[in-house]
Amino acid sequence: MNIAFARSTVAAFAVQIEQFTEAEYNEIRKAVSEAVSNCVQHAYPDSVGTVSISVYIEGDLLTIVIEDQGVGIENVELAKTTEFTTKPDENLGWGFNFMEACMDEISVESYPGKGTKLTMKKRPHANDAQ
Amino acid sequence: MPVSVRKIGTMLVAEVVGDLDMVTGAQLKEAADQMWEHYETLSVFVLDLSKVGFNDSSGLGAILGRYKKVNARSGTMIIVGAQGSVREDLEISGISKLCLFKESLKEVAPAQE
């Protein structure tokens, strides 16, 4: 499983936006980790599949698109609910909450049986107070 | 190995090195549960996170899962060396209320450093 590879690679790419703070790079790593973990656990529960990640930088805006061709999510709103989990023994059901907390914007398009596309956006906030 | 477990008297000491995520969380679960279930005299679960710089919600889930096992035996969970964002996540998630925090392993097992 390449979860560590995915989050490190995306964070390394994001370094091009120099205004991100160390805490913000950590948030980017966390959001990617949550997203890819979701794919591994839920999109491909009983099989090995491909997760593709595209990262774009436009000015100071970082956009991360994570796609799988897995089982899809029947009810996206329900899946985003805090503490909703299909595997209560080990999971907290906080994956989407972490992604929302770490990124400025997330959107999910999912088609049952076809897959899921997750888009996350983030800008540096170091200068917000000025 | 990023996860190691050992037994010191009635303590199980688990150490994670690197990131605590779905992969290492599953390794922690496997190694720690096996030892915890094998020795019924174990009553303290020490989780050394002093070499962990990153965690995600799967990592927190792995900690909470171990806490449930410990609590089922009326045991105590001690988290050692959690710092930075790892410590923050333990606070935000409420896990900090369920266990004791120590700065270093020395405070828990003086002869073992």
Side-chain angles (χ1 to χ4, degrees), chain A residues 90-117:
Chain A
E90 290 297 321
N91 289 356
L92 300 173
W94 289 349
F96 275 115
N97 302 98
F98 267 42
M99 289 182 236
E100 282 168 343
C102 289
M103 304 297 285
D104 295 339
E105 205 182 306
I106 78 165
S107 62
V108 183
E109 285 172 59
S110 193
Y111 303 95
K114 292 190 175 156
T116 300
K117 177 180 176 180

Side-chain angles (χ1 to χ4, degrees), chain B residues 33-53:
Chain B
D33 286 8
Q34 197 182 10
M35 184 175 277
W36 186 260
E37 276 150 31
H38 188 259
Y39 296 103
E40 288 177 8
T41 53
L42 288 170
S43 61
V44 180
F45 190 115
V46 181
L47 180 59
D48 187 350
L49 299 180
S50 54
K51 292 179 187 142
V52 173

Side-chain angles (χ1 to χ4, degrees), chain B:
Chain B
M1 278 293 282
V3 176
S4 62
V5 294
R6 60 203 160 113
K7 181 181 175 296
I8 305 173
T10 58
M11 278 192 311
L12 182 156
V13 179
E15 185 187 35
V16 183
V17 176
D19 298 348
L20 183 52
D21 62 6
M22 201 176 102
V23 177
T24 52
Q27 290 170 355
L28 173 66
K29 171 181 155 67
E30 196 188 339
D33 286 8
Q34 197 182 10
M35 184 175 277
W36 186 260
E37 276 150 31
H38 188 259
Y39 296 103
E40 288 177 8
T41 53
L42 288 170
S43 61
V44 180
F45 190 115
V46 181
L47 180 59
D48 187 350
L49 299 180
S50 54
K51 292 179 187 142
V52 173
F54 173 88
N55 72 276
D56 59 16
S57 74
S58 302
L60 294 177
I63 298 175
L64 199 61
R66 307 294 68 68
Y67 169 77
K68 286 179 186 166
K69 297 252 174 193
V70 173
N71 195 44
R73 196 180 282 177
S74 303
T76 305
M77 191 162 194
I78 301 173
I79 295 182
V80 166
Q83 52 201 309
S85 66
V86 177
R87 176 78 183 234
E88 278 170 33
D89 274 7
L90 291 169
E91 306 274 354
I92 293 164
S93 62
I95 292 175
S96 58
K97 295 198 187 92
L98 306 173
C99 43
L100 300 171
F101 277 113
K102 298 286 179 191
E103 293 303 316
S104 75
L105 198 56
K106 255 185 242 170
E107 294 176 51
V108 184
Q112 301 297 327
E113 276 293 282

Side-chain angles (χ1 to χ4, degrees), chain A residues 7-79:
Chain A
R7 62 177 175 255
S8 306
T9 308
V10 173
F13 187 77
V15 167
Q16 291 174 77
I17 303 176
E18 292 172 357
Q19 302 97 314
F20 278 131
T21 61
E22 206 43 55
E24 286 171 324
Y25 288 123
N26 196 49
E27 287 170 346
I28 293 163
R29 273 194 285 274
K30 195 167 284 189
V32 172
S33 198
E34 299 297 341
V36 177
S37 298
N38 271 353
C39 296
V40 173
Q41 278 193 296
H42 305 297
Y44 303 111
D46 306 307
S47 59
V48 174
T50 302
V51 178
S52 63
I53 304 178
S54 315
V55 192
Y56 309 92
I57 290 173
E58 300 153 87
D60 66 350
L61 176 66
L62 177 75
T63 303
I64 306 166
V65 180
I66 299 179
E67 290 173 277
D68 66 65
Q69 284 78 50
V71 300
I73 305 168
E74 290 280 350
N75 185 335
V76 172
E77 285 314 308
L78 180 65

